[in-house]
Amino acid sequence: MSIPSAVNPDLVKERQNATFDVDEFASWFYGDTALMGMKRLITEELYRGLDDPLDLEYMSYEDVYTAGVKQAVESTVRMRNMQEKINPGGTEIYPTLLSGLVGNAMMPAGNPMAVHLLMFTKALKGQGTSEQYERWGKRADNFEIIGTYAQTELGHGTYLRGLQTRADYDRRTDEFVLHTPHISAYKWWPGGLGHTVNYCIVVAQLYIDGESKGIHLFLVQVRDEETHRPLPGIDIGDIGKKIGMPGVNNGYLGLNKVRIPRIQMLMRNAQVLEDGSYVKSPVSQLNYFPMVYVRAAVAFGNTFFLAQAVTIATRYSAVRRQSPINEPEPQVLDHITQQMKVLPEIASVVAYRLAAGQVWSLYHRTAKDVNAGDYSRLPELHALSCTLKAACSYDSTYAIERMRQSCGGHGYLAAANLGNIFGLASAACTYEGENSVLYLQVGKILLKAWGDVLAKRQLMPTMSYLGELAAWKQFPQWTGSWQQLVEALQYAATNKTRLAHQHYTTRLGAGRTQPQALNETGIELTQAAELHGRAFVTYTFLQEVTGKAAAKRSANLNRVLEQLLELYLVHTVQRHMADILRFVPLSEQQIDDLQTRLELVLKQVRLNAVAIVDGFDLEDRELSSVLGSYDGNVYERILASAKKSPMNKRPVPVAFERYLKPFMRAKL
């Protein structure tokens, strides 16, 4: 069935009525006009001739994996060739675009080599010595070997100190003996581990003469480089089907007293000498630096997953007409209840894009400092990456499900692609640190920060507001300004931290051990951590919209960003009203005023909703949705996708003659 070449008239009208320049918005959103133009040129070339991602829905599990490997290899080759053609030695195309939107569009089954790029190669370079990088890192960069990063175990995940895989040093042979002593010690979940990689960085407990030295990183070959068969002592395979990412080939790994040379422990920081002497790392957190990178990347990635879902839902809501209100039937997007589902998430995309950019910048500054021997930024980066990873993955996951529901029954179609987007986003709630555990880690950092407040010590920049607001005897007279909405969240976070610290200290005084007191204070700690995250995101959004950068933007774009800021702030304050009211004495009228502001700004944002999501600059290939295409011809695309089903290749199914016909003619 052919798809009309003309754009749906409702979308034409929406775009004509936009009050700002979409290209200016897109350039601002991506941070650079030249970068925006390059992205469009590059993706036009990269997306040419790709298979229909809907084909994957009708394949077997093994065929999906095979397709995933094919897509990953072809995408890698195409991107590397393009990088060499456009800017030899650069990284803006390869490997950068292999992850994120472009990578997902080119590899819809998932990339079984993603962890190789995101963690394996980076760990070899960042945690290995220069000699180790020369020997293995360069080979990994050139895909002469393919690896993954095996940390999570069947019985332990975020609690790294509980990992059970052992690496015992044998000084007689100058080797480490790696062993998974229990079934719960099996490595579980690493991407590509099942059947793709031949090397693996194993995170294990180091033992020297029976004494634990904590977790360290070890390079282990798991498959023969020529035959790809598992090596002796290696029990390896695929963990089976998951909710999403069918082609990523997540695997398991058991080690039965596997010996590796001492030089295969990554020793840029901590070291084991030939005589068994142990040289401690200058900063223990350096072992976790690869995870910090991924957590920062998750915030970016989930922001764009949400952008995909919001774009699909907004365009569909603009062309779908249904209601008895009047004739002709109004667009679904004209219903205020639909606006309440969809439009706040448009603002969330912008808010998290800005916040993720801040964390990403901090990561790169910290990495540069670490290379120079300065580790002072590490605690703040750890706290911020944990906070934003948890907040963004939680919010985007729940929001994507709301976007699916906002599309009605058609949102449940595989061809709508909202299910796949949900699968990608929701996985981030548990990988690289389960979110509630990350919030607990941030809560413990907040406890320490409150101790610094009481002792009048300097706080890390993103927690400095705790000291400032702790000095307030009461919240200032309510004005409802943007600044005050942010301060209300900061004030709630400050006082939640104060109470958590107070109750934690009381429990210690009552004889609880530190772990017991932390566990019993866990609810308050996670609430304080979440509010701290809200405070960071809203403050970052406010600074961007009202700060010096506004002078570089047109008045029309600034007006749209101000409306999105208003929507995000009011909506976020309403979500946390119970926490705020505990510490900020708002009257019923002041609360009503916030509701009035919400309803007004929904109408304002609705006028530009389609144009704003156009500004996210997501191509049809990146959306892969019959509901979200730029032309808005949703019904034609839905029917065309249905006709692609293998079930429709024959008029009468096999099941009719085999089962239905005999059943219908039987006398029951």
Side-chain angles (χ1 to χ4, degrees), residues 94-352:
Y94 174 85
T96 302
L97 296 183
L98 270 175
S99 57
L101 276 174
V102 177
N104 290 336
M106 297 182 72
M107 297 169 283
N111 183 0
M113 298 189 294
V115 181
H116 172 86
L117 287 166
L118 288 172
M119 297 189 74
F120 183 75
T121 57
K122 285 181 168 55
L124 287 174
K125 191 167 188 177
Q127 305 293 315
T129 64
S130 57
E131 294 82 4
Q132 289 173 324
Y133 178 71
E134 284 294 322
R135 182 167 178 177
W136 293 289
K138 288 188 174 181
R139 294 188 70 206
D141 288 342
N142 292 323
F143 287 93
E144 295 169 28
I145 60 173
I146 299 175
T148 190
Y149 190 92
Q151 175 174 286
T152 298
E153 296 176 354
L154 190 55
H156 284 87
T158 308
Y159 180 55
L160 300 185
R161 284 181 292 171
L163 296 180
Q164 296 175 320
T165 301
R166 295 177 62 110
D168 288 84
Y169 180 59
D170 184 349
R171 61 168 53 83
R172 294 173 306 148
T173 59
D174 198 26
E175 293 175 318
F176 292 107
V177 182
L178 280 91
H179 188 59
T180 47
H182 315 287
I183 186 174
S184 57
Y186 263 56
K187 294 300 181 183
W188 205 267
W189 283 112
L193 178 60
H195 298 89
T196 308
V197 308
N198 51 15
Y199 280 79
C200 186
I201 289 176
V202 175
V203 182
Q205 302 282 1
L206 169 62
Y207 284 86
I208 301 176
D209 297 328
E211 181 183 351
S212 174
K213 300 295 183 181
I215 67 167
H216 292 73
L217 311 183
F218 301 86
L219 179 65
V220 180
Q221 184 176 352
V222 293
R223 290 180 181 271
D224 184 271
E225 289 191 26
E226 185 63 33
T227 67
H228 207 58
R229 295 186 66 83
L231 296 179
I234 301 292
D235 184 16
I236 194 170
D238 183 274
I239 65 171
K241 292 190 73 171
K242 310 167 296 290
I243 292 174
M245 306 186 193
V248 170
N249 193 218
N250 301 83
Y252 64 80
L253 173 65
L255 299 161
N256 185 12
K257 298 180 180 178
V258 174
R259 289 180 171 268
I260 62 171
R262 178 177 54 86
I263 58 171
Q264 286 181 222
M265 171 180 152
L266 300 192
M267 297 196 201
R268 180 169 184 173
N269 302 304
Q271 298 176 17
V272 175
L273 305 182
E274 187 175 355
D275 65 0
S277 301
Y278 177 69
V279 181
K280 189 176 181 180
S281 168
V283 180
S284 60
Q285 292 96 326
L286 287 174
N287 284 337
Y288 312 133
F289 206 52
M291 286 187 298
V292 173
Y293 171 85
V294 176
R295 287 169 186 165
V298 164
F300 250 121
N302 273 54
T303 296
F304 280 94
F305 292 146
L306 179 54
Q308 289 172 289
V310 165
T311 300
I312 293 167
T314 300
R315 288 176 178 170
Y316 180 68
S317 298
V319 301
R320 177 78 165 177
R321 289 180 172 271
Q322 191 161 285
S323 175
I325 294 176
N326 52 38
E327 293 292 339
E329 288 183 297
Q331 295 161 283
V332 172
L333 194 54
D334 286 335
H335 292 270
I336 195 166
T337 50
Q338 185 76 348
Q339 293 170 15
M340 188 60 201
K341 288 179 186 175
V342 176
L343 303 188
E345 305 311 336
I346 295 179
S348 291
V349 171
V350 175
Y352 277 118

Side-chain angles (χ1 to χ4, degrees), residues 387 390-391 394 435-444 525-526 529-530:
T387 302
Y394 267 151
N435 282 352
S436 59
V437 178
L438 294 186
Y439 270 150
L440 282 170
Q441 290 184 18
V442 176
K444 288 191 284 187
L525 290 174
T526 55
E530 182 182 359

Side-chain angles (χ1 to χ4, degrees), residues 422-657:
F422 176 85
L424 291 168
S426 62
C429 293
T430 47
Y431 67 64
E432 297 309 319
E434 193 275 329
N435 282 352
S436 59
V437 178
L438 294 186
Y439 270 150
L440 282 170
Q441 290 184 18
V442 176
K444 288 191 284 187
I445 295 170
L446 288 170
L447 282 182
K448 182 180 181 300
W450 194 256
D452 293 337
V453 169
L454 296 177
K456 301 190 182 308
R457 290 190 289 265
Q458 186 175 1
L459 301 172
M460 61 180 70
T462 51
M463 291 187 179
S464 61
Y465 71 88
L466 294 172
E468 297 166 10
L469 273 62
W472 291 7
K473 294 184 178 179
Q474 61 182 18
F475 196 81
Q477 184 176 353
W478 184 257
T479 65
S481 67
W482 291 338
Q483 178 68 33
Q484 199 167 59
L485 293 179
V486 173
E487 289 173 347
L489 291 163
Q490 291 176 329
Y491 196 64
T494 299
N495 282 283
K496 277 284 190 179
T497 301
R498 172 181 60 81
L499 290 173
H501 185 276
Q502 176 184 318
H503 297 152
Y504 169 72
T505 304
T506 299
R507 289 177 172 119
L508 286 178
R512 301 289 198 277
T513 65
Q514 187 180 59
Q516 288 172 336
L518 286 170
N519 178 54
E520 293 173 11
T521 316
I523 294 174
E524 290 178 296
L525 290 174
T526 55
Q527 290 172 343
E530 182 182 359
L531 283 166
H532 172 63
R534 301 285 179 224
F536 172 73
V537 174
T538 53
Y539 177 80
T540 302
F541 201 166
L542 176 66
Q543 291 300 109
E544 172 66 24
V545 172
T546 63
K548 294 180 181 179
K552 301 177 182 179
R553 300 186 295 259
S554 70
N556 287 340
L557 177 55
N558 278 330
R559 192 172 301 111
V560 170
L561 294 179
E562 288 166 1
Q563 291 168 354
L564 291 171
L565 174 64
E566 165 81 353
L567 176 55
Y568 189 76
L569 290 179
V570 172
H571 185 236
T572 302
V573 166
Q574 285 190 328
R575 286 177 64 188
H576 290 278
M577 186 58 71
D579 294 317
I580 291 171
L581 284 176
R582 188 172 182 182
F583 310 110
V584 181
L586 295 179
S587 68
E588 184 175 348
Q589 182 59 54
Q590 289 165 335
I591 296 173
D592 283 347
D593 288 344
L594 287 172
Q595 181 64 24
T596 300
R597 287 171 65 176
L598 175 71
E599 293 169 4
L600 174 61
V601 76
L602 284 174
K603 293 178 182 177
Q604 294 170 338
V605 173
R606 186 264 171 269
L607 295 175
N608 283 304
V610 169
I612 294 171
V613 299
D614 283 353
F616 296 156
D617 208 62
L618 303 175
E619 300 184 30
D620 284 355
R621 178 71 197 196
E622 292 161 349
L623 298 174
S624 295
S625 173
V626 294
L627 305 184
S629 60
Y630 186 85
D631 62 26
N633 295 312
V634 296
Y635 300 129
E636 294 86 352
R637 291 182 182 277
I638 290 172
L639 182 56
S641 72
K643 288 182 176 291
K644 287 195 68 173
S645 169
M647 287 286 294
N648 296 321
K649 288 184 177 179
R650 53 168 68 111
V652 179
V654 172
F656 176 75
E657 292 291 343

